[in-house]
Amino acid sequence: MEKILQVKDLELSFHTFAGEVKAIRGVSFDLNKGETLAIVGESGSGKSVTTKSIMRLLPESSSEFKNGEILFNGNDLTKLSDKQMQKIRGKEISMIFQDPMTSLNPTMTIGKQVMEPILKHQKVSKTKAKEVGIELLRMVGIPNAENRFKMYPHQFSGGQRQRIVIAIALACNPKVLIADEPTTALDVTIQAQILELMKDIQKKVDTSIIFITHDLGVVANVADRVAVMYGGRIVEVGTVDEIFYNPQHPYTWGLLSSMPSMDLAEEKLYAIPGTPPDLLNPPIGDAFALRSEYALKIDMEQAPPMFKVSDTHYAATWLLHPNAPQVDPPKTIIERMKTFRGSRYYEQANGGDA
Amino acid sequence: MAENPYTLFLLKGNKVKVCKCFHFEKKLIIQFDINQTHVLWRCNVVKYIGKRLVYMFLTMFLIATATFFLMQTLPGSPIASYNKLNETQRAIVEKKYGIDKPKPVQYAIYMKNLAKGDLGTSFVFKGKSVNDLLASRVKPSFILGAQAMVFGTIIGILLGMLAALKQNTIWDYGSTFFAILGVSIPSFVFASLLQYWVASQWHLLPVGLWNDGWKSSILPSIALAMGPLALSARFIRTEMIEVLSSDYITLAKAKGANGFEIAFKHALRNALIPLVTVLGPVAAGIVTGSLVVEQIFAIPGIGEQFVSSIMTNDFATIMGTTLFFSALLIFIIFIVDLLYGIIDPRIRLSGGKG
């Protein structure tokens, strides 16, 4: 599969009055052509920062790339000048933001805002740009687009505004679309519509999507692959099925267990104990160890490398080390694993038939 | 029998009081448009302007009445050698100027003339009507004021933008320092410094008077401009910093907009909104002439005229000038309210059917 975007050992810090905050501590992932990669994790895990650093939208004065590279079209995005980045932003890589109520300019007609990237990146006349803009608005499902071209953001509902933001992001057929929690600020019925729209559009324009969210329900709905982030690192990455039905990292177990489920109604809803690590003084070993009941001694001393589970599935936990003791994941996770061909519980459960 | 709730809404809910702008109410008409599935808010602009004009007329009437009676309480008499005249002489002079009649009658006569647009005859300048007097004095004041406003606001806005865009750098500190100087140095000190250096030492421009065409207006305009300049710089800096950190600016960056486009196309208009409010009254004050600056540069303007008319109890001129100032202020406030709508579409009054 063709790799569109490669992030390698990315490390990024923020300089604050309190000191250096190591927000991203060695993140690597690839984005394949036409796929949707979901990045999940709790607040402060570094998922937004990772994508904003791909777009180079973090304040230059306080953030600093410490190490690593972001390869796109043969260029390392961390090394490009601002001018060069301006040619990539909105054209090759574009972004959808969390809150549609604040992400459109209140004093500019939506038509102008949709036309802006077209006029900026493509050598077309204003009339042509307007045509394209109206077409885009129609595609994202704004009824009566021609008449509403001259309207201002406050004349649209939240869901419609998010559709407009999506239209802006798609204006130049970007190769990569970054969606930073695009449904978090919307109510559930609209969420479903927006997700549907994004899936639709991906089929039409064949773009790769990085989808940031903390909502695992959304992940199951849209993603091909999932990367789980914790404490500025990716702790587990795999296909949706692998993450949902054969998770290996205790943090992923925690995340999945804290998801309300219809099937296991009698259980009390699980919550991961403790708080996320302080990235001002990141822990030495596994950042999750202090909150994990499966922590090993080595977790306190050394950060685990990525262990291979399958060709597409990797997890950073010492539990996968050959010398590690075999532990049983929480009950709900075992239930999940029973349905996954290739997990040890699957074989146990169906041993007789095999 | 209960009414159909939808009929109820359309019939009774279509007039909703929404906001108060100064002391004037805007009646907004809510229109329910089933085709567009959203509620359109429309103000009836003609009705609004009509209503404002009535209020403006009432305000002027009250000001005229109040000034007329307050003026009667001024010590002294318009007749310079009042004490040296005998009874008969006084009676003749008072009759000539119409101040022998009872106050309510004088008031009625004045208001009658005012309605015709006649401000009366000056007591001091023989036989000259106040209308002519004002007309001859207004021009220099207006030129100075307009130049100062335009120059001051433009430079102030640019300084404020510079400070905000380069926040916490030498540019920011420099322009903030300059703005503070502008506020704290009284205009007469600044005017005298300009006169001394630019005019007297370097012989670049005339020291004063109004006889050298446009050249005469430069120094007093600069002296007058310091106030609005400092004010705009401070306001724009604060507003810009807030606007620049908003989501829609990030979105504009994500579209690939460059620094110039972000500052002027996206941020400035949003940052201007609060400035417009404070600039209105400042503009009125400045356009109607600064007493001190006009005095220092010996400009035959309206400000100077106003003070001398008070000194000499020139009733007709005091009334005329006060009314002129008031009318101007009221008019500018009206313009500011209309400007609001132009700058910020969210408070726009659009011509509706209602």
Side-chain angles (χ1 to χ4, degrees):
Chain A
M1 236 183 299
E2 195 188 335
K3 282 174 184 162
I4 290 276
L5 182 80
Q6 282 175 286
V7 178
K8 285 183 185 166
D9 300 320
L10 191 70
E11 281 176 40
L12 183 130
S13 290
F14 288 108
H15 298 286
T16 66
F17 287 115
E20 184 186 332
V21 177
K22 300 181 187 74
I24 308 179
R25 307 182 299 141
V27 162
S28 304
F29 64 87
D30 299 331
L31 183 67
N32 298 322
K33 195 169 183 220
E35 78 166 348
T36 302
L37 170 72
I39 302 181
V40 293
E42 59 199 353
S43 308
S45 60
K47 49 195 199 304
S48 270
V49 176
T50 307
T51 49
K52 283 207 171 120
S53 67
I54 294 172
M55 285 288 266
R56 291 266 303 275
L57 286 175
L58 297 166
E60 302 266 313
S61 51
S62 60
S63 64
E64 188 196 348
F65 286 111
K66 294 297 235 186
N67 190 17
E69 48 191 9
I70 301 167
L71 292 177
F72 177 78
N73 268 355
N75 290 320
D76 181 1
L77 298 187
T78 62
K79 303 227 160 47
L80 291 189
S81 73
D82 214 39
K83 264 234 166 88
Q84 289 169 306
M85 269 319 287
Q86 280 163 16
K87 285 188 190 135
I88 292 178
R89 286 188 203 129
K91 186 183 177 203
E92 311 269 4
I93 307 178
S94 56
M95 198 159 179
I96 303 167
F97 294 90
Q98 182 172 351
D99 189 356
M101 303 312 271
T102 55
S103 53
L104 290 169
N105 187 339
T107 59
M108 206 186 249
T109 60
I110 57 133
K112 264 193 186 168
Q113 299 191 54
V114 173
M115 276 158 66
E116 200 182 8
I118 304 169
L119 291 170
K120 180 94 199 154
H121 298 298
Q122 294 169 0
K123 287 193 177 108
V124 294
S125 67
K126 267 205 166 160
T127 27
K128 176 78 184 137
K130 192 175 171 186
E131 268 170 44
V132 178
I134 291 172
E135 194 42 54
L136 278 166
L137 289 178
R138 220 175 263 146
M139 184 173 81
V140 298
I142 300 286
N144 211 350
E146 267 148 277
N147 296 332
R148 309 198 68 184
F149 209 62
K150 282 222 166 104
M151 287 193 177
Y152 288 89
H154 70 277
Q155 292 164 305
F156 293 84
S157 69
Q160 282 177 322
R161 287 192 217 185
Q162 195 62 302
R163 285 169 192 271
I164 294 165
V165 174
I166 292 173
I168 293 172
L170 292 172
C172 299
N173 292 322
K175 294 203 178 84
V176 178
L177 179 64
I178 298 171
D180 188 353
E181 306 204 27
T183 57
T184 307
L186 302 171
D187 68 60
V188 188
T189 47
I190 309 294
Q191 268 187 23
Q193 289 176 15
I194 295 290
L195 291 178
E196 220 35 63
L197 173 70
M198 291 190 63
K199 280 200 272 186
D200 246 30
I201 277 166
Q202 193 177 22
K203 274 185 215 144
K204 275 186 207 157
V205 297
D206 194 30
T207 163
S208 310
I209 299 181
I210 299 180
F211 201 105
I212 302 175
T213 181
H214 54 241
D215 185 342
L216 288 167
V218 169
V219 174
N221 203 342
V222 297
D224 300 312
R225 287 198 303 137
V226 184
V228 181
M229 272 195 91
Y230 185 80
R233 283 201 176 116
I234 290 182
V235 293
E236 185 162 6
V237 59
T239 64
V240 175
D241 283 349
E242 283 164 344
I243 297 295
F244 273 78
Y245 297 106
N246 192 24
Q248 299 297 322
H249 197 282
Y251 178 63
T252 318
W253 295 347
L255 271 187
L256 288 167
S257 310
S258 50
M259 204 167 113
S261 161
M262 290 297 200
D263 316 332
L264 304 152
E266 84 280 359
E267 294 259 345
K268 205 174 135 191
L269 189 63
Y270 177 77
I272 302 173
T275 52
D278 175 12
L279 294 177
L280 205 55
N281 302 298
I284 298 164
D286 184 350
F288 188 60
L290 292 173
R291 298 171 73 186
S292 166
E293 47 191 302
Y294 304 98
L296 306 175
K297 212 173 169 189
I298 190 168
D299 275 324
M300 306 296 169
E301 288 155 14
Q302 210 178 328
M306 276 286 190
F307 288 98
K308 186 173 169 178
V309 182
S310 76
D311 282 342
T312 49
H313 190 184
Y314 294 83
T317 167
W318 286 117
L319 291 175
L320 291 172
H321 193 269
N323 295 343
Q326 203 169 65
V327 297
D328 280 332
K331 244 200 240 157
T332 53
I333 302 299
I334 294 177
E335 286 301 317
R336 285 168 173 278
M337 286 167 134
K338 275 180 184 167
T339 60
F340 188 81
R341 190 182 293 272
S343 89
R344 54 190 158 110
Y345 296 98
Y346 180 84
E347 280 162 13
Q348 267 175 15
N350 300 283
D353 313 324
Chain B
M1 205 184 83
E3 267 183 277
N4 178 345
Y6 295 99
T7 349
L8 194 82
F9 175 74
L10 288 170
L11 290 178
K12 292 187 181 165
N14 64 350
K15 279 196 180 173
V16 183
K17 209 198 291 176
V18 172
C19 55
K20 279 200 169 181
C21 191
F22 287 107
H23 42 284
F24 303 105
E25 291 172 7
K26 290 178 194 166
K27 283 249 161 109
L28 300 183
I29 289 144
I30 207 178
Q31 196 184 352
F32 198 69
D33 193 327
I34 291 151
N35 287 335
Q36 303 194 330
T37 62
H38 76 291
V39 181
L40 278 176
W41 301 80
R42 284 196 174 164
C43 295
N44 189 328
V45 77
V46 182
K47 238 183 180 174
Y48 171 73
I49 291 181
K51 205 168 172 188
R52 282 295 298 266
L53 286 175
V54 173
Y55 276 119
M56 281 158 77
F57 181 77
L58 270 177
T59 315
M60 281 308 290
F61 174 78
L62 288 177
I63 291 172
T65 311
T67 326
F68 186 88
F69 288 106
L70 280 174
M71 205 172 51
Q72 307 299 332
T73 64
L74 279 175
S77 152
I79 304 156
S81 43
Y82 193 79
N83 293 327
K84 291 180 198 149
L85 302 179
N86 64 33
E87 288 286 311
T88 354
Q89 286 169 319
R90 270 183 212 171
I92 292 166
V93 177
E94 281 180 350
K95 192 167 186 298
K96 189 186 168 195
Y97 287 104
I99 43 177
D100 56 333
K101 298 188 184 76
K103 298 294 181 222
V105 179
Q106 281 186 37
Y107 171 71
I109 293 170
Y110 187 83
M111 291 311 261
K112 206 180 99 195
N113 289 334
L114 185 64
K116 286 186 268 177
D118 179 8
L119 293 170
T121 315
S122 167
F123 294 1
V124 176
F125 298 94
K126 277 199 186 103
K128 228 176 169 187
S129 80
V130 176
N131 293 48
D132 292 343
L133 207 60
L134 282 177
S136 67
R137 292 295 190 125
V138 158
K139 205 184 155 201
S141 290
F142 184 79
I143 291 175
L144 285 191
Q147 283 185 171
M149 266 324 276
V150 172
F151 174 74
T153 11
I154 290 178
I155 302 290
I157 287 171
L158 290 178
L159 266 184
M161 285 176 77
L162 182 74
L165 290 170
K166 312 241 173 201
Q167 202 193 346
N168 296 334
T169 63
I170 188 84
W171 294 99
D172 184 12
Y173 301 135
S175 74
T176 308
F177 179 72
F178 196 68
I180 291 171
L181 273 191
V183 185
S184 44
I185 297 184
S187 59
F188 61 88
V189 175
F190 194 69
S192 320
L193 284 173
L194 279 177
Q195 268 182 332
Y196 180 73
W197 287 107
V198 182
S200 173
Q201 294 289 311
W202 303 332
H203 303 289
L204 294 175
L205 292 163
V207 180
L209 292 176
W210 194 252
N211 48 19
D212 208 354
W214 185 64
K215 269 186 174 174
S216 311
S217 75
I218 296 176
L219 285 188
S221 295
I222 293 177
L224 270 180
M226 287 314 283
L229 189 154
L231 188 83
S232 329
R234 277 190 315 142
F235 259 83
I236 289 289
R237 179 183 180 271
T238 321
E239 274 308 305
M240 269 299 241
I241 286 173
E242 204 185 307
V243 167
L244 284 175
S245 65
S246 60
D247 286 351
Y248 56 84
I249 295 295
T250 319
L251 182 73
K253 276 184 205 156
K255 283 183 199 172
N258 58 36
F260 179 84
E261 287 167 331
I262 285 166
F264 284 92
K265 267 172 81 179
H266 289 274
L268 180 61
R269 192 163 160 189
N270 289 291
L272 274 180
I273 296 162
L275 182 67
V276 170
T277 336
V278 287
L279 276 186
V282 173
I286 278 193
V287 172
T288 50
S290 153
L291 172 81
V292 179
V293 170
E294 278 178 15
Q295 204 81 42
I296 290 176
F297 287 97
I299 310 270
I302 202 169
E304 194 228 343
Q305 163 77 58
F306 194 26
V307 175
S308 64
S309 69
I310 294 171
M311 300 288 201
T312 51
N313 277 6
D314 188 348
F315 288 164
T317 316
I318 297 176
M319 276 299 285
T321 322
T322 313
L323 289 181
F324 176 73
F325 278 5
S326 318
L328 202 68
L329 185 66
I330 291 170
F331 182 69
I332 285 175
I333 290 174
F334 176 60
I335 294 294
V336 164
D337 279 356
L338 292 184
L339 259 184
Y340 255 147
I342 293 170
I343 293 178
D344 190 347
R346 285 165 296 186
I347 32 182
R348 180 162 301 175
L349 310 148
S350 63
K353 297 166 209 152

